[in-house]
Amino acid sequence: AAKRDFDALAQQVVDDLQLDGDCSHVFQISLMQEAKNKTSSGASNNTMPDLSGGNLINQFVSILTFDMTADFGEDMTIATKSSGTFTSGNSYLSSLYVTEDFIATVNNGYSYDFVTGESSSSSYILGFNTSTGVALPFCVGSVPGAITNEYSINKFNDYIQIATSEWNWSVNTNATTSNKIFVLRIPEGDARIMDVVGETEHLGKDGESIYAVRFFEDIAYVVTYQQVEPFIIVDMSDLTDPKAVGELEVPGFSTYLHPIEIDGNPYVLSIGEEWNFTSWWSSSSSKLTLFDVSNPSAPLIAAEFHESNTYTQAMYDFQAIRWLPESKLLILPKSNRYNYRGYYGADSFQGFVVYEIGVNEVKPLYNLTHNDTNCWYEASIAGRSFVFDSNITTIFGHTVISTDLKSGEKSWEFDLDDGLNYTCSYDYSYNYRYNYNYGNEYEYDHIHEEDALDSANVNIYNYDDAISPSDDVN
């Protein structure tokens, strides 16, 4: 009986693995191992760790494509095409890079050697050709370290540029880092391996890791960070020998870099933070910095703007950034942080700020205020801004606002929650002086300063129309 059941199961597995047609859309698994054993010279390197744990079919990357100009069929569907490939690594798909005819996916892998006590990481790159309308996998490569975000990889002509940080850690030594930019050649013909043809020396100081990177033609701008921010300019004109040519140390750090031009001169606009640890209560400032990069060997700070106790989601949500190159205006979402007592106070703000970027000054012009509460639920919308016919449309939280770009005057406002009864399941306020107020099923919580000062307990204020937490929010 056991043999009969086993044979039936084996046949079912084989039947389930049957493919329609051929395997042309599924990449060769053996190439994963070959890609992990290539150095910058193309020679075999058996010391490179196998981060798949010996399992080369640990993960599968699938890409679905469809024609955006196609109409819906009678069944209200659009025809799609799919392709995929197995990928090395034991971690996650960290980034997707897309151009008109090329897609690259980056998958991370980590390993720990229990004998030596050493750990290592690598990034595995899969290349897809999309020139035919179907994403066909055709090449693979790998480099040491992990990328920071989607701006860590770039396609320039027939090459891939990728910036990674590798943490080298063992039980016997302190952790060290290796921050590098690698250049890989996209293969032609029947070749399938993206060989490393060039790499930089270590960027930044030991112990620092890459926080931001931006490739721009034959230049790369890199920010590393531990205590201060080295802003580094890398000459990429010789892809076989990229090298750092300029560096400037700045307090704080940046997570986003945007190359711009003012009066015909090149600048880099950065978004970041600066922390103050000089008192018992550490505080931070959101920071906008304009770097003058006209001389790559000697970058300068042309202008800066700091605002204490504030935060912008644009530091990590890059779709929240709106740059208007003609008017030299920058639109960013902004929120006030909690003060040391754990609540916002009278200067509470949630919304957007419009900044004017000049050669010698970064200046806020006006605020676009959205409803501000500590209440978050499924219908809350991340900050986004759009400009149509000299009007700014901003979306944040639960409101949509239209504002005249020139005057800053509000044209109209729409409350997405108008007429909706809902319950705040989580109030993210925190009373540092007295007690936590986080993660409890309150109908709507708000901390008033006088209550926090006069009592060890926080009073709870409810909406009159509040409903139970179990009711749906539409």
Side-chain angles (χ1 to χ4, degrees):
K3 183 179 184 303
R4 183 183 65 251
D5 292 342
F6 179 82
D7 290 343
L9 175 61
Q11 185 60 49
Q12 180 181 347
V13 171
V14 171
D15 292 341
D16 290 342
L17 289 175
Q18 293 295 321
L19 298 174
D20 294 332
D22 55 29
C23 298
S24 61
H25 290 186
V26 179
F27 209 46
Q28 299 178 42
I29 301 174
S30 60
L31 287 173
M32 300 298 153
Q33 188 65 42
E34 186 178 354
K36 292 200 294 292
N37 293 330
K38 290 286 186 177
T39 65
S40 58
S41 63
S44 176
N45 176 18
N46 293 324
T47 62
M48 191 166 182
D50 178 7
L51 303 184
S52 65
N55 183 5
L56 293 178
I57 57 174
N58 188 49
Q59 297 189 39
F60 189 85
V61 175
S62 178
I63 295 182
L64 189 74
T65 58
F66 61 92
D67 185 356
M68 295 182 64
T69 64
D71 294 327
F72 286 99
E74 293 182 357
D75 58 352
M76 296 305 295
T77 62
I78 294 178
T80 61
K81 298 178 180 179
S82 62
S83 62
T85 172
F86 294 101
T87 178
S88 293
N90 53 10
S91 186
Y92 54 90
L93 184 67
S94 61
S95 186
L96 180 70
Y97 175 83
V98 182
T99 66
E100 184 176 356
D101 58 359
F102 181 82
I103 293 177
T105 64
V106 182
N107 194 73
N108 290 339
Y110 300 88
S111 72
Y112 177 76
D113 191 321
F114 288 93
V115 176
T116 64
E118 297 179 349
S119 64
S120 59
S121 64
S122 284
S123 294
Y124 298 99
I125 310 158
L126 299 172
F128 294 78
N129 185 345
T130 60
S131 59
T132 63
V134 182
L136 298 177
F138 77 102
C139 62
V140 59
S142 67
V143 293
I147 66 173
T148 303
N149 53 48
E150 61 266 36
Y151 291 106
S152 299
I153 184 170
N154 180 62
K155 181 177 180 287
F156 184 68
N157 295 330
D158 296 325
Y159 296 86
I160 291 294
Q161 304 163 329
I162 182 169
T164 67
S165 291
E166 181 184 20
W167 285 89
N168 302 302
W169 181 88
S170 72
V171 295
N172 300 317
T173 61
N174 294 327
T176 60
T177 56
S178 177
N179 307 312
K180 289 187 176 183
I181 293 177
F182 297 90
V183 180
L184 298 87
R185 181 189 292 110
I186 299 176
E188 298 178 348
D190 295 333
R192 291 292 181 262
I193 303 300
M194 288 188 283
D195 292 328
V196 176
V197 298
E199 62 186 77
T200 64
E201 298 292 332
H202 171 67
L203 301 173
K205 296 179 174 61
D206 193 22
E208 295 176 342
S209 57
I210 294 176
Y211 268 53
V213 62
R214 197 67 183 262
F215 295 97
F216 186 71
E217 297 179 351
D218 59 355
I219 290 288
Y221 304 104
V222 180
V223 168
T224 61
Y225 176 73
Q226 188 179 40
Q227 295 296 331
V228 296
E229 167 193 320
F231 174 75
I232 303 168
I233 299 180
V234 181
D235 182 1
M236 303 290 296
S237 57
D238 183 356
L239 293 176
T240 64
D241 187 27
K243 60 184 63 177
V245 294
E247 182 174 330
L248 178 66
E249 289 194 353
V250 184
F253 64 92
S254 301
T255 59
Y256 179 78
L257 303 173
H258 195 94
I260 66 174
E261 187 175 283
I262 302 178
D263 298 333
N265 296 316
Y267 294 85
V268 171
L269 182 62
S270 77
I271 300 173
E273 278 188 346
E274 183 175 339
W275 283 82
N276 177 16
F277 298 98
T278 58
S279 63
W280 69 273
W281 169 259
S282 61
S283 61
S284 69
S285 301
S286 60
K287 181 177 70 168
L288 299 176
T289 306
L290 184 66
F291 293 99
D292 182 347
V293 293
S294 55
N295 181 0
S297 63
L300 301 171
I301 295 179
E304 276 187 307
F305 178 79
H306 297 253
E307 188 169 8
S308 61
N309 224 29
T310 60
Y311 170 79
T312 174
Q313 72 181 64
M315 287 183 58
Y316 301 102
D317 181 3
F318 306 136
Q319 295 183 34
I321 301 167
R322 181 68 57 191
W323 165 248
L324 306 178
E326 293 186 4
S327 55
K328 303 296 184 291
L329 298 180
L330 178 68
I331 307 171
L332 295 179
K334 187 188 79 169
S335 301
N336 283 19
R337 291 186 183 274
Y338 296 128
N339 61 26
Y340 74 93
R341 289 195 182 101
Y343 41 83
Y344 286 117
D347 57 348
S348 172
F349 176 81
Q350 176 176 285
F352 288 80
V353 181
V354 178
Y355 300 90
E356 184 178 49
I357 309 300
V359 173
N360 300 311
E361 185 179 22
V362 175
K363 179 174 63 176
L365 295 181
Y366 51 84
N367 292 343
L368 308 175
T369 304
H370 286 247
N371 287 344
D372 180 26
T373 72
N374 295 338
C375 181
W376 295 94
Y377 68 103
E378 291 81 357
S380 182
I381 300 177
R384 296 291 186 266
S385 62
F386 311 90
V387 177
F388 305 101
D389 299 327
S390 299
N391 287 291
I392 310 173
T393 300
T394 52
I395 306 172
F396 204 150
H398 311 145
T399 55
V400 183
I401 297 175
S402 179
T403 306
D404 183 86
L405 178 63
K406 184 176 182 180
S407 66
E409 296 181 359
K410 183 189 297 184
S411 302
W412 53 263
E413 178 176 355
F414 178 69
D415 186 352
L416 299 173
D417 291 339
D418 188 24
L420 173 69
N421 292 330
Y422 66 93
T423 293
C424 179
S425 295
Y426 290 92
D427 178 21
Y428 288 85
S429 41
Y430 173 74
N431 186 349
Y432 286 92
R433 185 171 178 177
Y434 295 106
N435 66 313
Y436 284 102
N437 185 24
Y438 172 82
N440 295 316
E441 293 286 345
Y442 296 139
E443 301 221 331
Y444 178 77
D445 304 339
H446 184 71
I447 300 178
H448 283 261
E449 182 169 355
E450 59 270 20
D451 297 320
L453 292 176
D454 295 340
S455 171
N457 297 315
V458 177
N459 293 333
I460 305 302
Y461 295 84
N462 298 328
Y463 277 129
D464 292 335
D465 298 327
I467 58 177
S468 67
S470 60
D471 289 335
D472 292 335
V473 177
N474 297 317

